[in-house]
Amino acid sequence: MSAGDPSHAKRDPKEMLPTPGKLARRRLKQRLFSIPEYLREISLVRGKDDLYRWIYFKFPYAFPLADFPTRLTIELTNACNFKCPHCWREVMDRKVGFMEEDLFNKIVHELKPHKARTDLKIIGLGEPCLHPHFREFMGLLRHNSVSPLLYTNGTLLRLFSHEEILDWNIQRLVVSIDGLDARSYERLRAGGKYEVVRKDLQRFYATRKKLKFRAPEIEIRHVIMPDETSKQLMQFKKDWKGLGDGVKFNYLAPPWAREGVESNSRSKCRDVRREFYIEYDGRSPLCGYAYGREHIGDLHRETIMQLWMAPRKQQLRDCHQRGNLDLVPLCKSCSHT
């Protein structure tokens, strides 16, 4: 099987399920390759609020629970122009839709008093810039001095002028690049064109430099496939380093690999103490890896702070704190715990 071959998505999930040892090694590989980027993040810290936010995000169990999430993750849409075989979107049972303008305005209003210690992350099971009011949303964030972390498959760089994107005051622009070369990329990122996204990134990076903008920080994000070697990953990092400010890696945790399989691991989940998720329709899942299995409320009727402190959310945190996940079965099959 060639590097990045997505045919593994058709295998029996149990066959693809990594053993605890393999999963630990995969996570270690991810973290080792990302160390330079973590050091770069620290170098960008400015002031005590930035420092608190960075340390709390990395070590949330070392602090009392924050009264507001340190990262607010929102899904503008679950519509996507790519069809990646390893994406959770492949098993999504929600209808495709877009966040209402009133709901987005409510989120920004509730976030604004906490923006010094809370990041806004725009991602979800879709391509954010496909939202018909994306330009207006970015303008509203800029007007309220909110600098988001924005994730894209690269489409953003073709739908909007690079000068306009720079003017939106984005804190970090994360571009997802899976596969090691054009052939594997175009199978894993079905719908994308390898050379197109490389050229777009090159142009955007050059425009930022020419206009002397310091932001957004440009980050390349790569999902490590089971058959990719350390040598290949080092070469990938070298190939893409010149098109952005850094390269980070994630380990593969596809929906077809762990469904219905319990793990003996009992590591504490950091997300339950630091990150809050909002789907495009206003519902908030119990966690970002539940993917529609359980919701704790709806932002149309409740506030972010109310749902952040919801009894079920607190129960989930308590279970992780005590290392007993019997009351949250979905955590037992989650590769992140």
Side-chain angles (χ1 to χ4, degrees):
M1 184 169 61
S2 64
D5 192 334
S7 62
H8 52 70
K10 300 176 182 178
R11 296 186 195 171
D12 186 323
K14 292 182 180 179
E15 181 185 346
M16 283 301 297
L17 177 64
T19 64
K22 285 184 178 179
L23 186 57
R25 288 193 292 274
R26 192 178 297 171
R27 283 174 167 162
L28 178 61
K29 182 186 291 188
Q30 170 209 348
R31 289 163 182 164
L32 288 176
F33 278 110
S34 298
I35 283 176
E37 310 315 322
Y38 294 137
L39 296 176
R40 178 173 52 84
E41 285 179 6
I42 295 175
S43 72
L44 296 174
V45 168
R46 299 289 184 272
K48 62 180 182 179
D49 285 328
D50 271 2
L51 182 61
Y52 167 83
R53 181 171 53 193
W54 193 89
I55 297 176
Y56 184 97
F57 191 79
K58 300 297 181 185
F59 308 102
Y61 285 91
F63 296 83
L65 178 68
D67 60 2
F68 196 85
T70 54
R71 177 163 293 177
L72 192 58
T73 297
I74 66 173
E75 176 187 70
L76 297 185
T77 180
N78 59 350
C80 192
N81 53 341
F82 283 15
K83 194 173 178 61
C84 308
H86 55 291
C87 178
W88 280 88
R89 199 171 180 278
E90 291 300 289
V91 296
M92 180 180 69
D93 58 4
R94 294 180 293 146
K95 67 178 183 180
V96 174
F98 301 88
M99 182 173 285
E100 300 166 352
E101 291 180 84
D102 288 347
L103 177 60
F104 185 81
N105 290 339
K106 180 179 189 290
I107 291 170
V108 174
H109 176 75
E110 292 187 26
L111 167 64
K112 191 173 180 180
H114 305 276
K115 64 184 180 182
R117 289 196 170 191
T118 298
D119 281 323
L120 177 66
K121 177 179 174 181
I122 302 176
I123 186 171
L125 291 187
E127 170 56 39
C129 72
L130 296 181
H131 196 292
H133 298 293
F134 182 78
R135 175 180 279 120
E136 290 82 356
F137 287 173
M138 298 305 295
L140 180 66
L141 292 178
R142 185 180 186 280
H143 177 74
N144 286 279
S145 301
V146 175
S147 301
L149 314 175
L150 177 61
Y151 285 61
T152 179
N153 58 25
T155 302
L156 174 79
L157 301 175
R158 299 199 70 77
L159 291 185
F160 301 94
S161 75
H162 295 176
E163 291 79 7
E164 183 176 15
I165 296 171
L166 289 170
D167 195 49
W168 284 334
N169 195 32
I170 298 168
Q171 177 187 161
R172 186 184 307 154
L173 182 64
V174 181
V175 184
S176 298
I177 306 292
D178 299 332
L180 299 169
D181 52 27
R183 185 165 174 259
S184 58
Y185 172 89
E186 289 172 15
R187 285 188 305 212
L188 288 168
R189 308 294 290 179
K193 295 296 181 183
Y194 183 83
E195 290 302 330
V196 168
V197 73
R198 280 190 65 92
K199 288 178 181 177
D200 285 342
L201 264 172
Q202 189 174 36
R203 286 179 50 243
F204 183 72
Y205 188 70
T207 302
R208 192 193 70 175
K209 184 177 180 180
K210 177 182 177 182
L211 298 179
K212 298 181 179 179
F213 276 78
R214 297 182 63 181
E217 177 191 7
I218 304 169
E219 179 183 297
I220 310 300
R221 187 65 69 97
H222 176 85
V223 174
I224 301 173
M225 294 294 153
D227 51 345
E228 294 177 355
T229 67
S230 297
K231 183 177 180 180
Q232 289 173 323
L233 294 174
M234 286 296 291
Q235 184 60 47
F236 174 91
K237 191 167 187 175
K238 181 179 179 182
D239 290 344
W240 287 90
K241 182 72 173 178
L243 300 181
D245 302 300
V247 179
K248 274 191 180 180
F249 297 88
N250 287 96
Y251 57 88
L252 179 66
W256 35 263
R258 300 200 65 86
E259 188 67 33
V261 182
E262 289 194 6
S263 168
N264 291 323
S265 173
R266 290 295 182 270
S267 61
K268 296 177 181 178
C269 177
R270 294 184 295 171
D271 266 18
V272 298
R273 294 180 63 89
R274 67 184 186 182
E275 198 155 355
F276 184 80
Y277 297 84
I278 305 171
E279 295 174 356
Y280 79 85
D281 59 2
R283 294 186 301 166
S284 178
L286 180 62
C287 84
Y289 304 106
Y291 294 105
R293 296 187 206 176
E294 181 178 351
H295 293 85
I296 57 172
D298 191 326
L299 261 293
H300 288 99
R301 297 184 292 272
E302 298 156 286
T303 67
I304 293 171
M305 191 172 292
Q306 285 172 336
L307 294 181
W308 177 244
M309 295 297 183
R312 178 57 170 156
K313 195 84 170 176
Q314 296 287 50
Q315 183 186 51
L316 177 65
R317 294 179 182 121
D318 184 59
C319 288
H320 278 276
Q321 184 71 54
R322 292 185 289 107
N324 180 4
L325 302 182
D326 290 339
L327 296 178
V328 279
L330 65 89
C331 293
K332 291 185 175 181
S333 61
C334 177
S335 59
H336 293 266
T337 56

